[in-house]
Amino acid sequence: MMADDPIPTNDADPAGTTTAFDVAAAVRAGTVTAASLVERDLAAIAAREPELHAFNLVLADRARAEAAAVDALVAAGNDPGPLAGVTVALKDNMCTHGVLTTCSSKILEGWKPPYDATVVTRLRAAGAVVIGKTNLDEFAMGSSTENSAFGPTRNPHDPSRVPGGSSGGSAAAVAAGFSRVSLGSDTGGSIRQPAALCGVVGVKPTYGYVSRYGLVAFASSLDQIGPFTTTVADAALLLDVIGGHDPMDSTSIPQAQPSLLRAIEQDVEGLRVGRITDLPAGADDDVVERLELAFDALRDAGAKIVDVRVPAFSFGLTAYYLIAPAEASSNLARYDGVRYGLRIESPDTNAMYSATREAGFGEEVKRRIMLGTYALSAGYYDAYYGKALKVRRLIADDFDRAYQDADVLLTPASPSVAFPFGSKGDNPLAMYLCDVYTIPTNLAGHPGMSVPFGTGADGLPVGAQILAPALGEPQMFRAAAALERAMTKELAR
Amino acid sequence: MTTTVEDSTTAPHDPTTWQLVVGLEVHVELATATKLFSASANRFGDEPNTNIDPVTLGLPGALPVLNEQAVELAMRIGTALNCTIQPCTFHRKNYFYPDMPKAYQISQYDQPLNVDGHLELPDGTRIGIERAHLEEDTGKSTHVGGTGGRIHGSEYSLIDFNRAGVPLVEIVSRPDIRTAEQARQYVTELRAILLAVGASDAKMEEGSMRVDANVSVHHPGEPLGTRCEIKNVNSVRSLGRAIEYEMRRQIDLLEGGDRIRQETRHWNENDGRTHTLRSKEDADDYRYFLEPDLVPLAPSAEWIERVREAMPLLPAARRKRLADATGVEPDSEAAMVVVDRGQDDYVLAVGHLGGDLGRALVHVKEAYAEQGPEPAVPAQDLALLTNLESDGRLTATQAKTVLAELVANDGGDAEAIAAAKGFEAMDSSALETMVDQAIAANPDVWAKFVGGEGKAMGALVGAVMKASKGQADGRAVTALLNAKRA
């Protein structure tokens, strides 16, 4: 494949239209109907969804109707938009008007939001077809989807293993071909880690790049929506559509962002790729091996590899597990059984609150609410939450220094390939360590993405994580596209 | 009203006086078109739960967006209260209550918008303003059944979220208030300022202005006493009563050898007492932290300057202006009342039209209570009336009658009204004749008057008035009587 043509096509598909890029082009050109492509995806879902459980809800009828509307536009000579006919699966913590939105929690039982998240509005306006709501760890708290109240999602590459999390359903949906693309949310690695484990591209943009309006909050200062795709170009296409200022989200970045599709037209000649020399140890050998090959690939493509230090990186996990639960304890206090969602009837109102929360929240959610409430409490605030904020500042400062010498940084996305169900046992700390390489970026508000870069143990996917400074998406995507091209070459050999 | 209470002799160990110390926390709802963080209407009295949206209801995924008009009004308040307007942040105040749908209130904590100001009472006393910060209001709960409208023991509760998210400014005074009367004056003056700058309609009875009082007592020169916060004060009058009751309660406790427990107390209008609501030990831990859904707010120097330049003349300055023009004291009743009604510009206009300012002030104060800041009677008409008086063509009594006609008819020609009523200026010889007749008819009274008995004057004036059927000018009669005695 030529360097100026980074969009791989899948010859196995008769229509040759598996990527969002190709689907949109074909539908807009009128050579393939959105309706037929939706049927293809629904057939894939029918075949494997019972085994994988990527979805909490498949919106077959709605998807068909939306596809028909897209086709009607094309037939009438109108352009449905840059995502014409592209099926998209939404992590089930994004609000969809009149459609169940559960966060994979019992507490939101029966709740249908009276509004669409901004990303949903933008996707539809671009011609995309929402095909379903995907499974997640309850309220996005977890790294395996094992914390879903509705049962785990299975990894399409090996159904005995987890897809990662918390956006496991969205990662699996794209990996299994259930939808062309999907959206996840990443608070501490919840897009990048499952992307790595499922062998797809996953992007956590700069904080504020994509509107959070309509994303059910876990930790508001860390949450960010981003895409899962099979190609880097698709991720760029999707971010170009869903990114940009939203007046409904005060933390959304006011400035317009440059097109990432444009950015990946540029190679990595002269790009400075940083190797964090004091990165916390703990990654498995197969992952480390693939990462070394990724450095080699970028060097071969013309990038310059430089050593940098990010000393506070290793404190990220600890700070995160104070800050994120603290915000969660506040964000989740509204679920009380009064206005919406689950209600366990009880003799009096206080008993109703308790019974509803006891039944409605899972163990991990309760654990984090407790942790966060404690960290914010009078007498403990300074020692815990206050200190964590200082660490957060340190991490950002350390990254800033590193980015004086490097344009992007390269690390593993996950310390290991997909692990078997139950293998982290009842040890929450072991599970928390899954996000050791992804969390610091969230604390700094920086972008990061995972790009599939070959396979490790048992032939399972390994993801290379590219990190960049705030609004460094263009160079991050350039590096990602270079890794993708290198993989295409490697696979062709 | 006493400012200090003399220690009773039953406390021989401490023969000094008690000093009351009060700080006030005033919440005012801002007169914005929409809520603090959403586009729902900010309107009092609508059908319950009609001015709502995902943000107001705290629905999952909804996010707050700060209302610029609310910031502007808060800045006006800060400017009017001589505060420094500074870069500020928003925090979450976490507590669980059914009328707070997010289970936290967005408020300002350690970096409020307005700090370090003061308010001057009409007598010139300065009360420090610690801060005036922005926050959102809660919904309104109505607890049905049970006692006293409390949630505890009620059968069910109704919640109206129309008020949830309405912008509030909380104005926190320093503990500089020393008497209940000062507290009343503070609230009255603050209300006048809020109305003047258009920040709020500041109606205590509708809850758009709510006052909590922190009350303590101590001996002057000693550290401040333990304070109690008094809530549920719904009028300026109640504020004074509640503070006086609470002061007495605390003094009685201290003199009985007890100590004051820091607590929040509820003012009961019916029994005229304060009652324990919750003690400090039961106080919520609000777990404040920076609101991650909002960004810091740093009003630009240009914005602050624009607000400053657009400041209207504040009540104190208006009273002074009116006082200077009319010759009364700035804290005289007439100046206070007329400025409070916003009718000072009108009085001054009467002066500009050549009318008599002193008479205009009195007429407006007496007869314009039902009129707004723009009285229906044209200033020109009142000017003419005051001139008829000044020229001696109408007596004060006649002028009052004509004024009543002007007010009843939204204006009119004072001269024509006077003519129609048969009011004729009495010429001075006719008046003198009447005075002489009154003296002649009441020789005893005249003797007393000459002997220096002031009361006697009234009887003589009364006699002249009677004889003239009320047409005589009382002042002219008085002058004539004094002249004749001399």
Side-chain angles (χ1 to χ4, degrees), chain A residues 445-456:
Chain A
H446 294 167
M449 68 191 287
S450 179
V451 188
F453 201 73
T455 52

Side-chain angles (χ1 to χ4, degrees), chain B residues 17-247:
Chain B
T17 56
W18 290 104
Q19 175 63 58
L20 171 69
V21 175
V22 176
L24 295 177
E25 292 173 15
V26 179
H27 286 85
V28 289
E29 288 182 353
L30 298 180
T32 51
T34 58
K35 295 190 177 183
L36 186 52
F37 298 117
S38 78
S40 284
N42 167 19
R43 207 162 42 224
F44 181 82
D46 282 5
E47 276 289 298
N49 296 311
T50 51
N51 298 326
I52 55 171
D53 58 81
V55 176
T56 297
L57 294 179
L59 292 186
L63 294 173
V65 177
L66 184 59
N67 178 343
E68 190 177 314
Q69 191 195 10
V71 177
E72 167 112 11
L73 294 184
M75 285 165 65
R76 280 196 213 163
I77 293 174
T79 305
L81 296 177
N82 309 290
C83 291
T84 303
I85 298 172
Q86 61 172 18
C88 58
T89 54
F90 290 89
H91 272 65
R92 287 189 187 177
K93 180 180 182 178
N94 293 285
Y95 67 97
F96 184 78
Y97 199 75
D99 58 21
M100 261 237 314
K102 300 189 299 299
Y104 57 82
Q105 178 192 29
I106 303 177
S107 181
Q108 296 196 294
Y109 184 51
D110 53 357
Q111 290 171 285
L113 176 64
N114 304 299
V115 294
D116 291 333
H118 65 265
L119 177 149
E120 217 168 84
L121 301 182
D123 68 2
T125 307
R126 270 193 183 190
I127 307 300
I129 303 290
E130 189 178 312
R131 57 191 284 158
H133 70 253
L134 271 166
E135 63 184 30
E136 58 178 338
D137 209 344
T138 61
K140 198 167 167 47
S141 300
T142 308
H143 306 298
V144 182
T147 52
R150 308 282 193 87
I151 188 170
H152 185 74
S154 62
E155 284 170 42
Y156 61 93
S157 299
L158 299 170
I159 305 178
D160 178 7
F161 288 113
N162 282 356
R163 200 182 70 179
V166 163
L168 295 176
V169 165
E170 180 177 349
I171 302 157
V172 182
S173 87
R174 294 195 189 282
D176 292 348
I177 295 165
R178 291 290 173 269
T179 68
E181 174 56 22
Q182 277 189 346
R184 281 192 288 256
Q185 286 178 9
Y186 172 90
V187 171
T188 306
E189 186 68 7
L190 179 58
R191 183 168 182 276
I193 291 171
L194 294 169
L195 291 174
V197 301
S200 173
D201 64 4
K203 291 179 181 164
M204 282 185 85
E205 63 281 7
E206 283 184 8
S208 62
M209 179 167 178
R210 307 194 276 273
V211 182
D212 300 331
N214 283 300
V215 177
S216 67
V217 297
H218 74 141
H219 296 303
E222 291 181 9
L224 293 182
T226 302
R227 67 174 194 270
C228 291
E229 183 180 5
I230 314 300
K231 287 189 175 291
N232 194 43
V233 179
N234 295 320
S235 68
V236 173
R237 185 170 162 272
S238 298
L239 174 67
R241 288 178 69 206
I243 289 172
E244 276 164 14
Y245 170 82
E246 180 62 18
M247 171 178 72

Side-chain angles (χ1 to χ4, degrees), chain A residues 391-403:
Chain A
V391 170
R392 185 175 191 173
R393 185 70 252 163
L394 270 182
I395 289 171
D397 290 349
D398 280 358
F399 269 125
D400 285 348
R401 268 190 291 276
Y403 285 124

Side-chain angles (χ1 to χ4, degrees), chain A residues 93-112:
Chain A
N93 59 354
M94 294 173 204
C95 290
T96 39
H97 194 166
V99 173
L100 291 172
T101 299
T102 69
C103 294
S104 289
S105 177
K106 290 180 194 157
I107 199 96
L108 278 169
E109 187 180 272
W111 184 58
K112 293 179 178 176

Side-chain angles (χ1 to χ4, degrees), chain B residues 368 376-378 381-382 402-403 405-414 417:
Chain B
Y368 282 48
V377 180
D381 294 356
L382 182 60
V402 174
L403 180 61
E405 285 289 305
L406 289 179
V407 170
N409 300 313
D410 294 347
D413 180 345
I417 295 169

Side-chain angles (χ1 to χ4, degrees), chain B residues 274-326:
Chain B
T274 63
H275 302 269
T276 299
L277 201 61
R278 54 181 177 269
S279 74
K280 194 193 175 195
E281 291 75 42
D282 307 331
D284 286 316
D285 176 357
Y286 292 123
R287 307 192 309 281
Y288 279 101
F289 71 99
L290 203 63
E291 166 56 281
D293 288 333
L294 291 169
V295 292
L297 167 68
S300 67
E302 294 75 42
W303 192 7
I304 294 171
E305 194 46 42
R306 262 201 322 277
V307 168
R308 196 173 302 283
E309 280 170 4
M311 268 291 115
L313 211 53
L314 296 179
R318 290 172 69 158
R319 287 195 300 267
K320 178 156 191 323
R321 185 182 59 161
L322 183 64
D324 288 349
T326 58

